[in-house]
Amino acid sequence: MSSKRDLNHDKRQSIWLALIGSAVGYAMDGFDLLILGFMLSAISADLNLTPAQSGSLVTWTLIGAVVGGIVFGALSDRYGRVRVLTWTIVLFAVFTGLCAIAQGYWDLLIYRTIAGIGLGGEFGIGMALAIEAWPAKHRAKAASYVALGWQVGVLAAALLTPVLLPHIGWRGMFVVGIFPAFVAWYLRVRLHEPEIFSQKQTELSTQKISKLESFKLLVKDKATTKVSLGIVVLTSVQNFGYYGIMIWMPNFLSKQLGFSLTKSGLWTAVTVCGMMAGIWIFGRLADRIGRKPSFLLFQLGAVISIITYSQLTDPTAMLVAGAFLGMFVNGMMGGYGALMAEAYPTEARATAQNVLFNLGRAVGGFGPVVVGAIVSAYSFSIAIAFLAVIYVIDMVATVFLVPELKGKELS
């Protein structure tokens, strides 16, 4: 009886370690990217960078993240979740540390790009690791906890950077950026590969597997290709809406409605809290009523909240409505990990997470550009209302392309 209790305790400890380690890794992503944004002006002044050079530090970090996500996702499907995650953490930590001693634009650009490559694998590999460790009935909840890691990292960066940057400078902030990596590494050296991954590796050990096999499995037949297309549409809309709103809204509040910097910051904080609540709610809802109904409910909520928001002019009403806008626009982040984990086999799971989400991120990166063009030609209210249209497209893709996979045993 005692040995059975010990076994259950060890199993519970293992699944929570997998979850916390994955969430910390994703928090590291959010923390790193936001502190870079805060530090750009200080870096530019110290190293005499042009605006184009300064902006390229962010661009190449993101390019590195996309490349790293695709490469490391495939490597983790081949060599193991925990092992490859450790590689990504070491790569990120070493080159983030080197950023602190950069002497000019080119060496800093190289360090940032390679750090971005290390950063890129975190989401998909961590999500696969956590979901493979958790039981089916709590799978979406586990995915939502990992997704919350990003928001926690963003909030930590928003709170810590204004306090620390004046005292330790941008070089010191890069040193601070290494600490989440140490925490993630500490947690992961205590992890084992998920049982389902180890079993699959044993089954495949006698077969000759192509290095591109995990990519091929994303489009192996008509049904799988249909699902992959649907998920790319969902993740594209997710990123397009998120960046389109979060990049432009503070600017709109300041210029059009006369919000002070403090009020704009308060709006951002309230909206981010709404996003966190949405992710948390989505995970529980998806485990209770299913993935597909939950996506449709939140997509409809996004359409309604965006249209409603575009008609508001009262600052207090906009502040309150911002929380609901954030909840529906970003809450669906709590479900993509579970959906992708259930749609693909173990030997392609991390590849699917990183490739499909990063394709969506690439499309979504045009969100601020498109919203900006509509604002210039028409008005911000029309640009916001336009965003509602893409969530209608999202609903169509969910109905016709995305299957219901709640409770499916991982293969």
Side-chain angles (χ1 to χ4, degrees):
M1 190 72 175
S2 176
S3 62
K4 187 176 181 181
R5 255 197 321 268
D6 291 342
L7 185 63
N8 288 334
H9 173 75
D10 290 344
K11 189 171 182 180
R12 283 197 300 273
Q13 186 180 51
S14 178
I15 66 174
W16 277 105
L17 268 176
L19 180 64
I20 294 168
S22 300
V24 168
Y26 203 31
M28 187 173 75
D29 290 19
F31 185 86
D32 178 79
L33 288 174
L34 194 64
I35 64 168
L36 179 60
F38 277 123
M39 295 189 304
L40 282 181
S41 59
I43 294 172
S44 298
D46 195 27
L47 298 181
N48 297 314
L49 306 185
T50 66
Q53 288 175 326
S54 180
S56 70
L57 295 175
V58 177
T59 301
W60 279 95
T61 300
L62 292 173
I63 290 172
V66 171
V67 172
I70 293 170
V71 171
F72 283 121
L75 287 174
S76 80
D77 281 329
R78 193 175 183 89
Y79 298 110
R81 316 298 189 214
V82 178
R83 180 189 299 180
V84 177
L85 273 169
T86 304
W87 297 349
T88 67
I89 292 167
V90 170
L91 191 65
F92 169 80
V94 168
F95 283 90
T96 296
L98 288 172
C99 288
I101 60 172
Q103 299 302 302
Y105 169 67
W106 288 107
D107 59 337
L108 181 57
L109 184 71
I110 292 168
Y111 300 151
R112 282 304 308 168
T113 303
I114 299 176
I117 292 172
L119 202 67
E122 286 293 335
F123 174 76
I125 307 173
M127 191 66 81
L129 173 63
I131 287 174
E132 287 174 348
W134 276 63
K137 64 180 180 179
H138 297 305
R139 198 174 285 146
K141 183 167 68 175
S144 72
Y145 285 144
V146 177
L148 276 171
W150 170 277
Q151 304 295 347
V152 171
V154 166
L155 281 178
L159 293 172
L160 289 175
T161 308
V163 175
L164 295 178
L165 185 59
H167 300 288
I168 63 176
W170 63 270
R171 296 183 187 277
M173 288 304 300
F174 275 125
V175 174
V176 170
I178 299 174
F179 284 100
F182 286 145
V183 175
W185 180 84
Y186 174 82
L187 290 168
R188 281 170 184 158
V189 293
R190 285 156 178 75
L191 287 174
H192 302 290
E193 294 294 347
E195 188 177 331
I196 187 173
F197 180 84
S198 299
Q199 290 174 349
K200 184 64 69 171
Q201 287 294 95
T202 302
E203 292 172 16
L204 297 175
S205 61
T206 58
Q207 302 176 28
K208 188 176 181 181
I209 307 294
S210 165
K211 291 181 180 179
L212 297 176
E213 185 66 21
S214 62
F215 295 101
K216 294 176 182 176
L217 288 171
L218 305 186
V219 288
K220 67 176 181 179
D221 52 37
K222 186 176 179 180
T224 307
T225 303
K226 179 181 166 184
V227 176
S228 295
L229 176 61
I231 292 174
V232 168
V233 173
L234 265 61
T235 56
S236 295
V237 170
Q238 169 69 47
N239 284 284
F240 194 101
Y242 175 80
Y243 289 114
I245 290 171
M246 292 305 292
I247 295 297
W248 279 100
M249 191 64 76
N251 181 65
F252 167 73
L253 294 173
S254 175
K255 290 188 176 179
Q256 301 297 318
L257 298 180
F259 271 36
S260 65
L261 184 61
T262 302
K263 279 190 175 180
S264 294
L266 179 61
W267 177 89
T268 302
V270 169
T271 303
V272 169
C273 287
M275 290 177 175
M276 294 177 74
I279 292 169
W280 187 86
I281 292 168
F282 192 99
R284 279 152 183 75
L285 194 66
D287 277 334
R288 185 174 293 272
I289 69 172
R291 287 48 167 146
K292 198 164 181 172
S294 299
F295 275 113
L296 289 170
L297 183 62
F298 269 66
Q299 288 156 357
L300 179 61
V303 172
I304 294 170
S305 62
I306 289 170
I307 291 175
T308 301
Y309 200 88
S310 69
Q311 307 303 312
L312 296 176
T313 55
D314 178 69
T316 303
M318 294 184 80
L319 188 66
V320 174
F324 290 95
L325 181 71
M327 183 176 77
F328 287 111
V329 165
N330 206 49
M332 289 173 281
M333 274 297 298
Y336 297 117
L339 176 64
M340 287 187 274
E342 292 160 342
Y344 303 95
T346 300
E347 60 267 37
R349 187 162 294 124
T351 301
Q353 299 276 1
N354 275 336
V355 170
L356 300 181
F357 191 79
N358 276 312
L359 283 174
R361 182 181 283 175
V363 174
F366 290 99
V369 177
V370 174
V371 171
I374 296 174
V375 169
S376 298
Y378 301 99
S379 69
F380 193 86
S381 294
I382 291 176
I384 290 295
F386 161 76
L387 289 173
V389 175
I390 68 173
Y391 285 96
V392 174
I393 296 171
D394 215 17
M395 294 177 75
V396 173
T398 301
V399 170
F400 293 104
L401 299 176
V402 176
E404 176 55 62
L405 298 172
K406 176 179 177 284
K408 178 188 175 185
E409 288 301 319
L410 300 183
S411 60

